[in-house]
Amino acid sequence: MRREFHASALSRLPVFICLVSVLFSAPACDRTRTNSGNEHAANSNAAQPAPSPPGAAEETAANGQIEIVSTPPGAMVILIEIGDGFAGPPQVKGSTPTTLSVKPGAYEVALEKTGHKHYQKEVKVEANKTVKLNARLPRA
């Protein structure tokens, strides 16, 4: 009786191993898998960057810049696009000193640094022009 049990258990071992491998996402029981030699290559199904639309280079050339310097340096830069009746989401743009390339329009620039007072200013950016901000953040 014990031998029958062992023989029966041994015959089910491959099924058990396959189930365990499925639980741990291992391909141990996938017999239909082909070895194409590119298992370590980048995923060809991964999203590829979209090609630039015609005129994108012209758009970039028409951008303006915001040059931001602060005393003390290292303040976090937050940029908010504002327009007629709307405000875009706040975007963290790094820390000072920095120069941002943006499309023409109105923006709210906020600077924050721990232990210092908050700085905020509205700027209007024109195509191919640079707006310079020299912000002083006194101690809080």
Side-chain angles (χ1 to χ4, degrees), residues 19-35:
L19 289 173
V20 170
S21 69
V22 168
L23 289 174
F24 291 102
S25 300
C29 62
D30 187 2
R31 302 289 181 223
T32 61
R33 185 174 177 187
T34 60
N35 186 1

Side-chain angles (χ1 to χ4, degrees), residues 52-64 101-104 127-128:
S52 298
E58 296 166 15
E59 235 179 79
T60 303
N63 279 354
S101 179
V102 296
K103 66 183 183 181
N128 302 315

Side-chain angles (χ1 to χ4, degrees), residues 70-115:
S70 70
T71 303
M76 179 175 52
V77 177
I78 302 167
L79 186 68
I80 302 169
E81 183 180 5
I82 54 177
D84 295 331
F86 81 91
Q91 299 175 3
V92 176
K93 294 292 189 176
S95 59
T96 59
T98 189
T99 301
L100 308 174
S101 179
V102 296
K103 66 183 183 181
Y107 295 88
E108 190 77 31
V109 178
L111 303 179
E112 296 179 357
K113 184 166 176 89
T114 304

